Amino acid sequence: MSEYMQQYKNVAEQFCLLGNILSIEPYGEGHINLTLLVTTDEKRYIMQKMNTRVFNDPDSLMANICGVTQHLTARGIETLNVIPTKAGESYLKGDECYRVYDFIENTVTYQKVTDKEVFKNSGKAFGEFQNYLAEFDASKLTETIKRFHDTPKRFADFKAALTADVCDRAKTCQAEIDFILSHENTYGIAMAGLADGSLPLRVTHNDTKLNNILMDAETNKARAVIDLDTIMPGSMLFDFGDSIRFGASTAAEDEKDLDKVHFDIDLFKAYAEGYCAAVKDSITAREAELLPYGSYLMTIECGMRFLADYLSGDTYFATKYTDHNLVRARTQIRLASEMEASFQAMSEIVANILK
Ligand code: ADP
Ligand code: GN1
Ligand code: MG
């Protein structure tokens, strides 16, 4: 019996699963929850140990997910299906919290873009997802992580981690620290736009990286947007930008060889074509103008979050080796600096698509 089977069989048995459990194994590449594949003699499920340090109000979190998935299901959109516990709850409460979803079969998740068409399809799907969320009553949502994409707040958190330097690691990443510090004057534009109303506040997904979408294994078209933990009020710039951050790169988020890491403008174009086609009726002129900036912002924000976590001793993102977060921060910084040099080209692409 596997180590995971021994540890988690009792947990899985508290959910309304069909069949007898055959195996439980770790699954996927998420950085936040512990994700397990549960196989029974009838079907497969995803069971997650929820990260309650990151999401400290699991009741509200699961109420958000149930609300959004019911909204989507009622419209015939494929989405996560929450499997209740035998006590009829949406998740198992305790010192550790768990939830179970149906495993969405015949799908794949990509950790890196290998095909422009797949990335374009993901853009279309995230754009359509934005449209579905526009019909969702925002007052029914709890903000699961406050100020999630408030970059000036993220920068303040970064500076606090740098000042504390609890692991004495600042000396190992001075160039990266200097990059983040020297770009302070670029961090405020999205929050300022939301504050003065020049950017509309929408309901957004907020974590739109490519591995948070399941693509059909045969057609490579998007099947379902997943990882619904961070659905909250936000800006379209966040959803567009985070997809570009992760996907419009020539390398994985944790590529160690920076010579392999480049911002790929053709991938930007492919995603923008898919996304903009889906949101063309709702995107405002100011949002369209700021899509390139949003891409840069989400990238450098993620870079400062990885670097802050490295400085704090890796307490937030799951890591596989000692300087994993530093490696991730470096790729984001490389991408952000290349994006800065490509604003004009990105703007022309967006303008052409939307004309
Ligand atoms: P995290 O919050 O840690 O990123 P996710 O909810 O994104 O966790 O899940 C991690 C990975 O597990 C996803 O990238 C995807 O590959 C896989 N996954 C999650 N839910 C399902 C599902 N219902 N069906 C198939 N695969 C899933
Ligand atoms: C985390 O949960 P996951 O792995 O899909 C993080 C995102 C980061 C991303 C970087 C709740 O996403 O904000 O952009 O890692 N999610 C949370 O890969 O913090
Ligand atoms: Mg995820």
Side-chain angles (χ1 to χ4, degrees), residues 19 92-93 153 174 243 292:
L92 191 65
K93 305 175 194 194
K153 160 75 165 60
Q174 198 54 51
S243 288

Side-chain angles (χ1 to χ4, degrees), residues 28-288:
E29 300 277 330
H31 297 342
I32 301 296
N33 299 294
L34 172 69
T35 300
L36 300 161
L37 173 65
V38 178
T39 306
T40 76
D41 50 12
E42 292 199 30
K43 57 186 296 216
R44 303 201 289 176
Y45 298 92
I46 286 287
M47 182 166 86
Q48 289 183 318
K49 176 152 86 176
M50 297 155 68
N51 187 329
T52 47
R53 199 168 30 82
V54 167
F55 296 102
N56 53 24
D57 180 1
D59 271 348
S60 301
L61 171 76
M62 288 310 292
N64 280 4
I65 291 180
C66 291
V68 169
T69 54
Q70 278 157 21
H71 173 86
L72 295 170
T73 305
R75 283 158 182 75
I77 318 287
E78 189 167 13
T79 186
L80 293 171
N81 182 38
V82 177
I83 304 294
T85 68
K86 287 179 177 163
E89 305 277 357
S90 61
Y91 73 103
L92 191 65
K93 305 175 194 194
D95 292 341
E96 292 177 340
C97 295
Y98 294 84
R99 66 185 169 205
V100 171
Y101 299 123
D102 276 328
F103 186 90
I104 302 182
E105 296 287 351
N106 302 315
T107 59
V108 281
T109 26
Y110 293 96
Q111 307 308 326
K112 185 176 135 16
V113 174
T114 49
D115 177 344
K116 227 195 284 186
E117 211 47 34
V118 172
F119 196 39
K120 183 176 174 176
N121 290 342
S122 79
K124 178 169 177 282
F126 278 125
E128 285 168 352
F129 195 75
Q130 166 67 81
N131 296 338
Y132 304 137
L133 292 179
E135 300 160 9
F136 189 78
D137 179 359
S139 68
K140 291 198 181 128
L141 283 177
T142 303
E143 210 178 347
T144 52
I145 300 179
K146 297 235 180 309
R147 303 176 73 181
F148 191 58
H149 283 308
D150 179 339
T151 313
K153 160 75 165 60
R154 294 292 190 181
F155 181 61
D157 293 346
F158 166 78
K159 283 194 295 185
L162 176 58
T163 304
D165 194 17
V166 289
C167 300
D168 200 21
R169 284 176 165 179
K171 62 184 183 219
T172 65
C173 54
Q174 198 54 51
E176 291 77 15
I177 291 168
D178 289 345
F179 188 92
I180 301 295
L181 292 176
S182 67
H183 284 70
E184 176 173 8
N185 67 345
T186 66
Y187 298 153
I189 297 172
M191 291 313 292
L194 289 171
D196 69 18
S198 58
L199 284 173
L201 187 67
R202 302 175 181 275
V203 178
T204 46
H205 180 283
N206 295 304
D207 189 3
T208 52
K209 61 179 173 175
L210 188 62
N211 65 15
N212 286 331
I213 193 163
L214 302 177
M215 312 300 289
D216 190 279
E218 270 129 55
T219 66
N220 260 331
K221 297 244 162 66
R223 282 270 299 277
V225 169
I226 59 166
D227 203 343
L228 308 177
D229 293 340
T230 51
I231 291 183
M232 287 180 274
S235 164
M236 198 187 266
L237 305 190
F238 305 158
D239 281 4
F240 181 87
D242 196 55
S243 288
I244 297 300
R245 171 193 80 73
F246 189 84
S249 169
T250 52
E253 191 185 61
D254 58 357
E255 172 59 57
K256 289 181 183 162
D257 180 357
L258 279 185
D259 289 342
K260 294 188 180 153
V261 182
H262 296 290
F263 170 57
D264 185 328
I265 193 86
D266 289 334
L267 291 177
F268 175 88
K269 180 165 180 272
Y271 187 89
E273 282 170 357
Y275 189 86
C276 291
V279 301
K280 62 179 184 328
D281 293 336
S282 58
I283 191 169
T284 68
R286 182 65 176 153
E287 284 174 321

Side-chain angles (χ1 to χ4, degrees), residues 17-28:
L17 305 186
L18 294 177
N20 302 304
I21 298 168
L22 300 178
S23 67
I24 304 179
E25 300 298 335
Y27 191 81

